[in-house]
Amino acid sequence: MTDYRTLLVDERDDRVVVTLHRPDKRNAIDAEMVDELHAVCDKLTREPKLLLLTGGTDGIFAAGVDIAQLRDRDRYDALAGINHGIMQHIRSLPMPSVAAVDGPALGGGAELCYACDVRICTDRSFFGQPEVRLGIVAGAGALYRLPQLVGESLAKELLYTGRRLTAADALAVRLVSQVVPADELLATAHALLDRMAKVSPLALRLTKLAVDAPADAHPQIEQLAQAVLFEDDEKRRRMTAFLDRS
């Protein structure tokens, strides 16, 4: 992949590891980072691989959107959906994404996590949407993704007050699937991706497509996905191997 200024990008055979890298700004999401994340997503759309998104293990995931830039944006910038667009791009990737969070994930940083398919974090992580305290709304997906993830009542409380969830809170409400020590975060994330990498790539893609489809598209989309997979040589190979082991 090309050179980046706000990201560290490690492309591997079956996955791409993207580390947010604006340490002097606590990984705040600015326009340049948005553009670079789009560039990564463009390639992952053309050449599907798993995605690991992290801020590393130095105690900061992303402290939100760069407030200096956000303060100067106007109504036309809001309507352009600058930050919402990258969250949707990540969400719509053909292969699954995992967010590995160490430290704060606030505002747009939290919304970046919500856009990923699976979230794990360290015991010093916390999540929050402080936008109302700054006179705006959470405009990059939290208003509808957070209720889906933690339930409407809790999501409304968090969005209305800016209250933060600790790692323990996040695990209790299943916002994250695991809480691990900081020195185990990336190894745990890679182990999770290793398990995904062992399954049928086409079955994985179609499972993600079906899970993310609108409710009124079910069950037809599952039937279509299954019809495609029933004709796939990988299905016959895997089932034959299973039967031969029995």
Side-chain angles (χ1 to χ4, degrees):
M1 289 187 173
T2 188
D3 292 332
Y4 297 92
R5 299 203 325 163
T6 70
L7 307 173
L8 302 176
V9 180
D10 176 14
E11 185 171 10
R12 307 185 186 185
D13 289 342
D14 59 3
R15 71 198 64 175
V16 173
V17 182
V18 174
T19 305
L20 308 180
H21 188 62
R22 294 187 75 210
D24 57 324
K25 299 293 185 181
R26 295 174 59 79
N27 289 343
I29 302 166
D30 68 348
E32 185 175 23
M33 183 181 285
V34 167
D35 289 342
E36 291 183 355
L37 285 169
H38 274 301
V40 172
C41 290
D42 285 341
K43 184 161 187 183
L44 287 173
T45 300
R46 294 191 307 269
E47 302 171 17
K49 292 183 178 183
L50 299 165
L51 171 64
L52 172 56
L53 182 62
T54 184
T57 55
D58 293 328
I60 178 69
F61 180 75
V65 175
D66 192 308
I67 300 298
Q69 289 189 1
L70 199 60
R71 182 186 58 187
D72 294 333
R73 290 180 184 171
D74 60 21
R75 70 190 71 177
Y76 301 105
D77 293 315
L79 291 171
I82 296 169
N83 296 320
H84 186 276
I86 186 55
M87 310 306 175
Q88 188 57 34
H89 206 169
I90 292 169
R91 186 64 177 183
S92 62
L93 289 172
M95 294 287 275
S97 56
V98 173
V101 180
D102 181 30
L106 299 172
E111 289 172 306
L112 201 55
C113 299
Y114 308 157
C116 292
D117 294 293
V118 181
R119 289 153 296 281
I120 64 174
C121 74
T122 69
D123 47 14
R124 61 186 177 186
S125 298
F126 54 91
F127 304 80
Q129 301 299 150
E131 288 86 355
V132 290
R133 297 179 182 177
L134 297 171
I136 58 174
V137 300
L143 294 181
Y144 59 94
R145 287 201 177 100
L146 194 55
Q148 293 170 354
L149 291 168
V150 304
E152 181 178 319
S153 181
L154 177 57
K156 284 182 173 179
E157 178 194 340
L158 300 174
L159 291 164
Y160 294 169
T161 66
R163 180 169 75 85
R164 298 172 176 180
L165 288 179
T166 66
D169 293 335
L171 181 63
V173 299
R174 308 309 297 170
L175 179 62
V176 300
S177 61
Q178 298 182 65
V179 177
V180 299
D183 60 359
E184 297 178 14
L185 177 66
L186 295 182
T188 302
H190 280 293
L192 176 58
L193 290 168
D194 288 343
R195 292 197 294 274
M196 295 182 191
K198 291 178 181 178
V199 308
S200 160
L202 184 58
L204 186 60
R205 287 185 63 174
L206 291 177
T207 297
K208 175 175 164 58
L209 184 68
V211 169
D212 288 344
D216 60 4
H218 300 279
Q220 291 85 353
I221 192 167
E222 287 97 331
Q223 293 169 350
L224 288 171
Q226 198 75 302
V228 171
L229 291 166
F230 273 13
E231 298 297 322
D232 186 37
D233 290 341
E234 181 78 356
K235 166 249 189 180
R236 182 169 294 277
R237 184 189 69 78
R238 286 174 175 267
M239 289 191 174
T240 299
F242 175 83
L243 292 170
D244 287 346
R245 290 196 303 269
S246 301

